[in-house]
Amino acid sequence: MTTMTEESNAGSFGELALFPLTSQARRVREAAAQLLKRRTTAAANRYRQELAGGIFNELSALGFSEEQQDEAVGAFLTEVERELAEIHYQRIRLLV
């Protein structure tokens, strides 16, 4: 998770969580499910690009730097890949 520290007018510091993955569990599961529906690698890659582009747009609109956006999108896509691995693992366990 990425954080940004911001100084207020009063001189105190606050921490703002950027795109916290803990609140994105449903979105991660939905993305993994959508990837599983893609029939080809090219289609899955296009979906990943569309997904990442949407998240980049959201974070950009909120004023986050490119570095912060890259970190947040990378972390999100990593969680999607972990969810895919878990789904595949569960399917294999059912076959054994």
Side-chain angles (χ1 to χ4, degrees), residues 34-35 38-54 77:
Q34 288 298 317
L35 280 168
R38 301 310 193 258
R39 293 183 179 258
T40 66
T41 301
N45 287 338
R46 279 192 303 274
Y47 177 74
R48 278 186 189 89
Q49 289 175 341
E50 291 170 10
L51 182 62
L77 292 175

Side-chain angles (χ1 to χ4, degrees), residues 21-94:
L21 292 173
T22 55
S23 65
Q24 297 294 322
R26 189 181 84 226
R27 195 171 184 183
V28 166
R29 284 191 302 274
E30 287 175 8
Q34 288 298 317
L35 280 168
L36 288 173
K37 291 179 183 179
R38 301 310 193 258
R39 293 183 179 258
T40 66
T41 301
N45 287 338
R46 279 192 303 274
Y47 177 74
R48 278 186 189 89
Q49 289 175 341
E50 291 170 10
L51 182 62
I55 298 169
F56 276 118
N57 289 338
E58 289 176 37
L59 295 174
S60 179
L62 292 171
F64 297 115
S65 71
E66 286 185 32
E67 182 180 332
Q68 292 167 326
Q69 292 174 43
D70 287 342
E71 187 176 328
V73 171
F76 180 80
L77 292 175
T78 296
E79 288 304 310
V80 171
E81 294 303 321
R82 285 186 181 143
E83 180 69 16
L84 285 169
E86 180 63 24
I87 290 168
H88 288 298
Y89 173 73
Q90 293 300 327
R91 287 180 177 176
I92 289 169
R93 285 188 57 205
L94 292 174

